[in-house]
Amino acid sequence: MSYRSDVRIITTKKGYYKLKKYVESNLNKDDYNLLQDNIFDNKKNSNIFYLGWNNISWAELCDFKHIDVIINGLKYLKENSCSYNFARMGENYDDYDSKYFISDKDPLDYLIVFDRKFDDDMVLNYIKEYNYDYKKGDISNELL
């Protein structure tokens, strides 16, 4: 199994359609188009497009044409004064990558916010399952 990441891109409507056109023109008919598997539902009338992929093998400068064309597409957006914000969160805690470009001609007022946080509900459910009274700070007698 390969190293996995979660990836997010936010761009303007103009930026999305330029990226889409760039990706489609740089892939062959049988190549995998990552934009078709975006996990977010972007409404046609939206002025901001949010793109994302979870648990994806994302590596720049590799043999994954569908990844390279997105990365190069972001460079294309910058060359064409289209705003975007890119963020990738890898499996390792300290593996985080972020790139953005904000254009006066195509402003983007919102950037991706990244927050690693504890899953307290999962821990509390685990504690309840094993009869640990977290309010008293006591282990039940059943476990002793």
Side-chain angles (χ1 to χ4, degrees):
M1 188 164 160
S2 63
Y3 187 81
R4 312 303 275 181
S5 296
D6 293 343
V7 175
R8 300 293 186 268
I9 298 171
I10 192 168
T11 189
T12 61
K13 186 175 191 174
K14 178 182 173 186
Y16 172 75
Y17 286 108
K18 281 205 176 281
L19 179 63
K20 182 179 178 194
K21 185 175 179 181
Y22 178 87
V23 167
E24 289 172 351
S25 66
N26 285 280
L27 290 175
N28 296 324
K29 184 177 128 183
D30 296 329
D31 288 335
Y32 176 55
N33 185 342
L34 197 56
L35 291 179
Q36 294 175 347
D37 287 331
N38 172 38
I39 62 174
F40 297 105
D41 182 23
N42 289 292
K43 305 295 182 211
K44 290 182 181 177
N45 295 327
S46 176
N47 290 323
I48 294 178
F49 279 71
Y50 193 40
L51 310 171
W53 304 273
N54 289 332
N55 199 27
I56 187 168
S57 216
W58 190 277
E60 295 181 36
L61 304 173
C62 63
D63 290 331
F64 298 141
K65 188 172 183 180
H66 60 283
I67 303 295
D68 291 339
V69 75
I70 296 288
I71 297 299
N72 291 331
L74 295 178
K75 293 174 188 171
Y76 177 77
L77 290 183
K78 184 176 181 179
E79 292 166 2
N80 287 275
S81 298
C82 294
S83 298
Y84 73 87
N85 184 219
F86 164 88
R88 183 195 55 81
M89 179 176 56
E91 290 177 22
N92 295 336
Y93 183 79
D94 60 349
D95 184 13
Y96 178 76
D97 185 25
S98 176
K99 299 173 188 163
Y100 66 92
F101 172 74
I102 305 299
S103 169
D104 291 338
K105 295 178 183 177
D106 184 41
L108 182 62
D109 295 332
Y110 189 82
L111 297 178
I112 296 169
V113 177
F114 171 79
D115 182 25
R116 288 202 187 251
K117 60 184 181 179
F118 294 104
D119 189 350
D120 294 327
D121 290 334
M122 181 190 74
V123 174
L124 292 174
N125 286 334
Y126 177 83
I127 290 170
K128 285 179 186 176
E129 184 178 330
Y130 287 96
N131 296 321
Y132 183 85
D133 189 342
Y134 57 92
K135 291 180 183 172
K136 291 183 186 176
D138 238 357
I139 295 177
S140 77
N141 288 335
E142 294 175 18
L143 295 177
L144 298 177

